[in-house]
Amino acid sequence: MKKLILTGLSFLFAVTILFAQEINPENKAKETVTELTEKLTLTDDQQTAVYNIVLEKVNAKIAIKSDTTLSADVVKEQIQALTATANGKINDLLTDEQKPLFVQYLEEKMANKKE
């Protein structure tokens, strides 16, 4: 009976790990655009442009993380550069009223990340 319970728990644990690692770039980009739309009241054109930028960033981030030849420091630097570039592109799309809100959004995101 113990073996059966342990086998079941092991299987459940393995399935949980598999689903936790699955990242869908399109869903991640949609979530980010939805969040930015709520905070910044993006127009339809801005939403489309931001979606493309975020999708490109997420795909590039996945590619960087999957490259096993890179050291952890290099991966971190490349992801930071990628994020800075994407944030710059998004900032260029925003109106003067939206830019301070975007800076505030990024500051909140960094504060949450540090916690």
Side-chain angles (χ1 to χ4, degrees), residues 56-108:
E56 179 182 320
K57 175 190 154 200
V58 172
N59 285 329
K61 189 174 177 180
I62 291 170
I64 290 170
K65 286 186 173 185
S66 67
D67 186 353
T68 57
T69 61
L70 300 175
S71 69
D73 292 336
V74 172
V75 168
K76 186 176 179 181
E77 288 175 13
Q78 287 184 355
I79 289 175
Q80 286 176 343
L82 183 66
T83 302
T85 302
N87 289 341
K89 288 179 183 179
I90 292 171
N91 194 46
D92 292 342
L93 296 171
L94 302 177
T95 64
D96 291 335
E97 294 83 24
Q98 292 171 325
K99 288 180 182 184
L101 296 172
F102 184 60
V103 171
Q104 182 181 2
Y105 166 79
L106 292 176
E107 289 172 353
E108 289 173 4

Side-chain angles (χ1 to χ4, degrees), residues 25-52:
E26 290 83 13
N27 288 343
K28 180 68 174 162
K30 286 178 186 176
E31 289 173 12
T32 303
V33 170
T34 302
E35 189 175 349
L36 286 172
T37 300
E38 290 174 7
K39 302 251 184 210
L40 309 176
T41 59
L42 299 176
T43 65
D44 290 340
D45 292 339
Q46 287 175 324
Q47 287 178 23
T48 303
V50 169
Y51 174 80
N52 291 332

